[in-house]
Amino acid sequence: MITRRLFCGCIAGGLPFAATAAHAQSPECAVFTKDRQKSTTPDDAIARLKAGNERFVAGKSVNCDLMAQVKQTAGDQWPCAAIVGCIDSRVAPELVFDQHIGDVFCARVAGNIVDVDILGSLEYATKVAGAKAIVILGHNFCGAIKSAVDDVKLGNITALLRNFQPALATLTKADGHRDSHNDALVQKVAEANARLTAASVTRRSPVIKALVDAGQLKIAAAMHDVTTGKVTWLA
Ligand SMILES: [Zn+2]
């Protein structure tokens, strides 16, 4: 594998051997192949994302030769996971999980909701393309969640915010005044949204439910902290 990567790196990048050797030394830069994806379990896929976030938080993200990876994945893709994240500029999944070319599918939409188009995308990512895990990635101080809490009415945002009704329904009087300045309340809704969205996937997709029931796929919810970069996995 090392030999193959060195070969591809030199040919692809047109760089001297010494320049690509540093990239080739990191096993994290090995692109996913059909066999590697097949031998990856759902737990392996989740563990890979956890390890990637630990590197990110520690400031030790791997500096892969991306153009070498472009060449190596040009013919096909065998990603290990699919991530649904918010459009928020601070939560790019590939950066947060320290993933690279061909590693993960990413769907991004305000408030990391799953509508029919995202659901179809997840079916493609898993049933068709073989990804082993789905992660619904929420985050703190989310503008979409704040807007839902404040019941904003604006253009097509109004329709988008209807997706947060199940999460808003988890609020009780004990959560205090429903206002986006109530940080604890906003966080509760964001976490509920990630959990409920993750739980809704198998309920709404028999295709994905069959993969989960067969042990070929796991679905997880997680929260990214935009103040620390750390991802916390929700039970
Ligand atoms: Zn957001």
Side-chain angles (χ1 to χ4, degrees):
M1 197 60 199
I2 288 173
T3 302
R4 176 176 170 269
R5 275 188 280 119
L6 283 172
F7 175 78
C8 293
C10 290
I11 298 300
L15 297 171
F17 177 84
T20 56
H23 299 127
Q25 285 172 1
S26 174
E28 303 306 327
C29 297
V31 299
F32 271 87
T33 61
K34 182 177 183 179
D35 287 344
R36 187 176 173 208
Q37 186 201 54
K38 190 176 180 182
S39 65
T40 299
T41 68
D43 286 338
D44 290 341
I46 299 284
R48 176 182 170 85
L49 297 179
K50 287 182 177 177
N53 181 246
E54 287 172 7
R55 289 195 302 275
F56 176 68
V57 171
K60 295 181 178 176
S61 294
V62 178
N63 183 24
C64 296
D65 184 339
L66 298 180
M67 285 313 299
Q69 291 187 325
V70 166
K71 297 290 185 183
Q72 291 162 5
T73 57
D76 213 339
Q77 61 169 342
W78 309 96
C80 69
I83 301 162
V84 179
C86 184
I87 61 168
D88 193 293
S89 63
R90 301 164 292 182
V91 299
E94 286 95 337
L95 296 176
V96 168
F97 290 115
D98 193 25
Q99 300 300 299
H100 304 92
I101 304 296
D103 290 341
V104 291
F105 287 99
C106 283
R108 297 182 67 176
V109 57
N112 42 276
I113 54 101
V114 172
D115 62 11
V116 67
D117 299 318
I118 301 285
L119 198 58
S121 300
L122 292 175
E123 289 177 351
Y124 176 81
T126 56
K127 181 66 176 180
V128 180
K132 305 293 184 170
I134 292 174
V135 177
I136 307 299
L137 183 64
H139 70 98
N140 54 355
F141 308 117
C142 178
I145 299 293
K146 287 181 178 179
S147 298
V149 166
D150 288 341
D151 198 22
V152 166
K153 305 291 185 193
L154 176 63
N156 290 287
I157 295 174
T158 304
L160 171 71
L161 298 184
R162 291 190 195 115
N163 289 287
F164 303 110
Q165 284 302 326
L168 289 168
T170 67
L171 294 175
T172 67
K173 282 186 178 177
D175 294 310
H177 187 54
R178 184 174 151 176
D179 182 288
S180 61
H181 295 97
N182 183 341
D183 289 343
L185 182 146
V186 169
Q187 182 69 7
K188 177 177 177 176
V189 175
E191 289 187 11
N193 177 58
R195 276 199 185 92
L196 292 170
T197 300
S200 76
V201 172
T202 49
R203 193 172 65 243
R204 298 160 62 198
S205 170
V207 170
I208 291 176
K209 184 177 187 304
L211 293 172
V212 172
D213 290 347
Q216 297 171 10
L217 173 70
K218 277 197 173 178
I219 303 176
M223 291 294 291
H224 176 237
D225 186 332
V226 298
T227 70
T228 66
K230 184 173 171 52
V231 171
T232 300
W233 297 77
L234 304 176

